[in-house]
């Protein structure tokens, strides 16, 4: 940048200092602080750009400096999974400096991260044109070309697509269980199975099997492929019988635990059970989506959760997250992990199971008799208290009232548990959500918004920072809740430093249960216990030690940052 004098030089020095500080924060993964510093630096530089009469530095040089800051902020937002905002930053950087190849690269990475491969391909080709054959960019370009071909092929055969593999698959096609196999065993197929109302068979899972399963996984042992397939097929049949939104009754004197994203962090899942008690009829859980991807023990996490569900459906409730989808699994590791530990066939069975997961739960403490609800058994007195060695916010939402009491039970209230958030329009009802065909990929419409949306501080609606779904304000939350006789939204989907956050005047809670996310973020995890009053009681916890298998170990060997 050209030298300048006086106030201009002072401003440029301040901008450089703020950018350097932001770069240091980014390097240490203090991402929100880095974002704020880049934003301050950009504001100061933009103010200088607007004062053409008072500056000596050519506009071209100032725009080049702004492009660097915007591109660096795009990198920060990619690491924050704010892919939509990262695309916007990189695009603005290119509008100010069209030859800045790093902005093309970062925009390509952001689009790749949300499955927009054709658009990402154009950006990676621009990098190659401007910067030559960088190895990392070349790998991403090649991968995008492959994925674009795969998408075109999938569209071409969509009309003639075969029925789900799960409908015809027989576990007898897999290798038999060897006599030398020492892991957990299910009963022989057909001997210990129960039937649902539609006549479909559900494998019977005992507490002893689940305990043995967890111990095997703790030791990094696999269960036999036949047993894994039987669990997945049975879980799919069980989920198929559930509506999009499942009602669970939480009567007075009883409690339920809600956990957020676990993302393949199996040893942290074990820590939750160690601190809060194992799932049981007396100690039920809701896990709010994103069980897989990123963490490298995703197979262990999802098999554990569905084993509990099959052992006792009342002890485990699962919602679908945006990572229970083909597009995310291909990028963030679950596909590679299942293929490495089992096979492509089992990966397909997992995908078909994910498409049957419920989209949300209503936790109902009102005692309203009109609901077809699963009755929760009484909590044991010893389980209503959280170990004193772990932080607990028993006031939940800083004392803010979450709504008036409704229904037959005094003080009883209702909460909606959904992975992402709310909608791009008012007037959406629970009845409308029940009519969604959920047996698909969550690419658009109300279902995509349920799995992808995020809250914002401002009223009304905004563009999604992720590039999918919508940003919705506290007023949107209030109108949706009031229209549907709900008092609280419980969602996940976002890493929070404390493991949770309360927003929208106490009517929206984010819960995140993957501490030290991706082995690098340093955040705490948390869970919530609810009674019939739907007052959230938070417990935080630290990450558990785990074997030396890095996060994203099974993801495509492309990295996300390369030229960054």
């Amino acid at each position: 940048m050209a030298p300048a004098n006086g106030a201009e030089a002072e401003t440029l020095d301040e901008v450089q200092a703020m950018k350097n500080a932001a770069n240091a924060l980014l390097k240490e993964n203090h991402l929100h602080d880095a974002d704020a510093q880049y934003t301050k630096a950009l504001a100061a530089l933009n103010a200088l750009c607007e004062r053409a009469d008072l500056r000596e530095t050519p506009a071209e040089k100032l725009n080049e400096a702004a492009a660097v800051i915007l591109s660096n902020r795009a990198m920060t937002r990619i690491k924050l999974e704010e892919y939509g905002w990262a695309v916007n930053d990189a695009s603005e950087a290119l509008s100010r400096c069209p030859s800045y190849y790093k902005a093309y690269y970062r925009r390509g990475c952001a689009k790749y991260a949300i499955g927009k491969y054709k658009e990402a391909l154009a950006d990676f080709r621009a990098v190659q044109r401007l910067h030559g054959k960088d190895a990392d960019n070349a790998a991403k370009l090649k991968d995008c070309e492959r994925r674009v071909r795969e998408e075109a092929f999938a569209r071409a055969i969509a009309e003639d697509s075969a029925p789900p593999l799960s409908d015809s698959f027989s576990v007898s096609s897999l290798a038999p269980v060897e006599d030398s196999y020492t892991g957990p065993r299910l009963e022989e197929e057909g001997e210990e199975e129960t039937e649902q109302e539609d006549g479909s068979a559900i494998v019977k899972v005992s507490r002893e099997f689940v305990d043995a399963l967890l111990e095997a996984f703790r030791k990094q042992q696999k269960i036999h492929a036949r047993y894994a397939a039987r669990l997945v097929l049975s879980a799919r049949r069980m989920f198929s019988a559930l509506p999009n939104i499942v009602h669970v009754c939480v009567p007075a004197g009883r409690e339920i635990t809600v956990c957020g994203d676990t993302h393949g962090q199996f040893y942290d899942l074990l820590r939750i059970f160690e601190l809060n008690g194992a799932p049981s009829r007396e100690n039920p859980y809701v896990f709010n989506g994103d069980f897989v991807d990123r963490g490298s023990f995703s197979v262990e996490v999802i098999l554990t959760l569905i084993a509990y569900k099959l052992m006792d459906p009342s002890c485990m409730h699962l919602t679908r997250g945006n990572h229970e989808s083909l597009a995310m699994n291909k990028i963030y590791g679950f596909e590679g992990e299942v293929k490495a530990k089992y096979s492509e066939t089992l990966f397909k069975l997992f995908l078909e199971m994910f498409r049957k997961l419920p989209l949300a739960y209503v936790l109902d403490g009102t005692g309203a008799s009109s609901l077809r609800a699963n009755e929760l058994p009484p909590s044991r007195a010893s389980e209503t208290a959280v170990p004193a060695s772990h932080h607990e916010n028993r006031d939940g939402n800083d004392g803010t009232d979450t709504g008036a009491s409704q229904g037959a039970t005094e003080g009883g209230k209702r909460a909606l548990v959904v992975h992402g958030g709310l909608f791009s329009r008012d007037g959406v009802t629970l009845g409308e959500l029940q009519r969604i065909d959920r047996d698909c990929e969550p690419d658009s419409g109300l279902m995509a918004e349920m799995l992808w949306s995020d809250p914002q501080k401002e009223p009304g609606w905004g563009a999604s920072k992720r590039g999918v779904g919508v940003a919705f304000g506290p007023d949107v939350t209030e109108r949706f809740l009031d229209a549907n006789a709900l008092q609280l939204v419980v969602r996940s989907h976002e890493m929070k430093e404390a493991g949770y956050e309360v927003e929208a005047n106490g009517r929206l809670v984010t819960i995140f249960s993957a501490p030290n996310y991706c082995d690098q973020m340093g955040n705490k995890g948390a869970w919530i216990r609810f009674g019939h009053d739907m007052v959230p009681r938070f417990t935080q916890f630290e990450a558990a030690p785990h074997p030396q298998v890095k996060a994203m170990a099974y993801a495509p060997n492309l990295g996300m940052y390369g030229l960054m």
Side-chain angles (χ1 to χ4, degrees), residues 4 70 145 175 298 306 327 339 365 374 411 447 450 491 515 521 545-546:
L70 283 161
E145 289 176 334
S298 293
I306 64 174
K339 289 181 178 180
N374 296 320
M447 179 173 163
M450 294 176 79
R491 44 91 62 179
M521 300 308 295
H546 66 75

Side-chain angles (χ1 to χ4, degrees), residues 9-132:
E10 184 177 344
T11 298
L12 292 175
D13 287 344
E14 290 174 354
V15 168
Q16 185 64 38
M18 285 186 281
K19 188 186 81 170
N20 291 342
N23 290 345
L25 289 165
L26 175 59
K27 186 176 181 180
E28 296 298 321
N29 280 320
H30 299 303
L31 302 179
H32 292 288
D33 293 337
D35 186 286
Q37 282 293 317
Y38 285 130
T39 300
K40 287 174 61 178
L42 188 63
L45 194 57
N46 285 339
L48 186 60
C49 288
E50 293 171 1
R51 300 297 302 274
D53 57 323
L54 299 179
R55 60 175 169 77
E56 300 175 7
T57 306
E60 180 183 359
K61 294 296 183 182
L62 294 177
N63 280 328
E64 288 175 359
V68 172
I69 295 171
L70 283 161
S71 185
N72 286 2
R73 191 172 69 175
M75 174 169 57
T76 306
R77 290 176 168 181
I78 288 172
K79 297 188 79 171
L80 283 167
E81 302 180 16
E82 296 172 348
Y83 304 118
W85 288 357
V87 168
N88 293 343
D89 277 353
S91 295
E92 185 179 347
L94 290 168
S95 73
R96 300 177 80 154
C97 185
S99 62
Y100 190 43
Y101 67 89
K102 286 189 177 182
Y104 279 110
Y105 179 84
R106 289 163 186 169
R107 189 171 70 177
C109 286
K111 290 183 175 181
Y112 178 93
I114 54 177
K116 295 184 177 181
Y117 303 122
K118 191 172 183 179
E119 295 177 24
L121 178 59
D123 284 333
F124 294 139
R125 284 174 172 164
V127 174
Q128 187 176 67
R129 183 178 68 253
L130 293 167
H131 185 61

Side-chain angles (χ1 to χ4, degrees), residues 271-462:
R271 172 154 286 184
I272 293 172
F273 295 157
E274 290 165 1
L275 298 176
N276 192 55
S280 67
R281 184 174 293 270
E282 296 78 24
N283 189 36
Y285 283 78
V286 179
F287 278 83
N288 195 22
D290 280 12
F291 321 116
V292 302
D293 281 338
R294 298 193 180 276
S296 295
F297 303 95
S298 293
V299 167
E300 289 80 0
V301 168
I302 186 60
L303 287 178
T304 294
L305 296 177
I306 64 174
Y308 273 117
K309 182 68 175 176
L310 293 166
M311 181 193 79
D312 183 349
S314 72
C315 84
M316 181 62 67
H317 307 287
L318 306 177
T319 69
R320 189 176 184 181
N322 63 301
H323 277 266
E324 279 70 61
S325 65
L326 175 61
M328 296 295 100
N329 295 164
K330 281 184 169 294
I331 299 172
Y332 295 104
F334 186 59
E335 179 185 39
E337 181 181 344
V338 178
K339 289 181 178 180
K341 294 178 179 179
Y342 290 103
S343 65
E344 182 175 3
T345 295
L346 192 60
F347 176 62
K348 291 179 180 177
L349 297 181
F350 271 118
L351 285 177
E352 292 177 3
M353 181 192 74
F354 290 158
R355 291 164 70 118
K356 298 296 186 179
L357 283 164
L359 303 180
Y361 275 77
V362 170
L363 306 183
D364 196 326
T366 67
S369 60
S370 61
L371 293 174
R372 297 180 60 187
N374 296 320
E375 184 80 359
L376 295 177
S379 297
R380 294 193 298 269
S382 62
E383 292 179 342
T384 61
V386 178
S389 59
H390 297 275
H391 170 76
E392 182 184 15
N393 177 358
R394 289 196 175 274
D395 292 330
N397 55 7
D398 300 322
T400 304
D401 186 11
T402 57
S405 173
Q406 295 186 7
T409 301
E410 183 178 357
K413 297 178 182 178
R414 302 200 320 157
L416 179 72
V417 182
V418 62
H419 179 72
L422 300 182
F423 309 100
S424 55
R425 61 175 172 85
D426 285 332
V428 176
T429 66
L430 297 184
E432 184 177 1
L433 300 179
Q434 291 285 28
R435 295 190 291 273
I436 294 172
D437 179 5
R438 72 179 190 259
D439 190 2
C440 61
E441 292 299 299
D443 298 328
S444 61
L446 295 177
M447 179 173 163
E449 291 176 350
M450 294 176 79
L451 272 56
W452 278 95
S453 292
D454 296 285
Q456 63 179 20
K457 305 297 184 185
E458 301 77 17
W461 292 274

